[in-house]
Amino acid sequence: MLSNLIICPVSLGVLVVCECFSEDGFFYVESVTSMLTDTKLRNLKSKEKLYKVNDRDGLYVAVTAAGSISFRYNYSINGRQETIPFGRYGVGGITLAEARERLGEAKKMVSAGKSPGKETARGGSHQGCRNF
């Protein structure tokens, strides 16, 4: 069985990644992943347990049983997995655009070999790390 990830154009100019497989030369869509939108975030409902909803580039939201939605990023540095929370979504929190901005800054730090979580804990002066 062949398995590929392909980019599928859909309406409104949004691209989604489709996982496809082929047993007989034809490709079938197995799952579709799309980016978060403000509307999707507003419509997320709490469940019995915490669950995650992926955005893009490693950014995701964690939705708690109490209904709190927070932006997070998992990354690997020096062979260790770490998670950095960017903030809560909603009134008094951060927007999706702000979370994506902070993700960009965090990814730059990881590329430079620095842990965004540890830099924040140390009171690092990196602007993108403020209030993670």
Side-chain angles (χ1 to χ4, degrees):
M1 177 188 332
L2 297 173
S3 180
N4 294 28
L5 289 179
I6 60 170
I7 304 229
C8 305
V10 294
S11 63
L12 302 175
V14 176
L15 294 177
V16 296
V17 176
C18 302
E19 186 175 345
C20 301
F21 64 95
S22 174
E23 291 179 355
D24 54 3
F26 295 98
F27 282 91
Y28 305 92
V29 175
E30 193 169 81
S31 63
V32 176
T33 305
S34 61
M35 297 185 322
L36 287 171
T37 63
D38 217 31
T39 302
K40 286 181 187 177
L41 286 168
R42 283 193 306 270
N43 290 326
L44 291 174
K45 304 292 181 213
S46 62
K47 295 183 180 178
E48 211 172 288
K49 293 183 179 180
L50 179 134
Y51 69 98
K52 300 174 184 180
V53 181
N54 292 321
D55 181 41
R56 65 174 193 203
D57 300 327
L59 180 67
Y60 67 94
V61 293
V63 183
T64 66
S68 173
I69 300 171
S70 59
F71 293 100
R72 298 179 182 181
Y73 171 53
N74 292 341
Y75 58 96
S76 179
I77 192 150
N78 299 324
R80 287 188 22 218
Q81 289 288 324
E82 297 182 14
T83 301
I84 187 163
F86 293 130
R88 286 192 175 160
Y89 173 76
V91 179
I94 65 171
T95 65
L96 177 57
E98 289 170 323
R100 287 177 177 160
E101 236 176 75
R102 291 180 184 188
L103 172 67
E105 296 298 322
K107 286 182 128 231
K108 286 178 189 174
M109 291 183 75
V110 171
S111 294
K114 297 179 182 176
S115 169
K118 289 182 180 176
E119 290 295 316
T120 301
R122 282 188 221 147
S125 61
H126 197 273
Q127 183 178 356
C129 290
R130 210 170 11 134
N131 296 324
F132 275 2

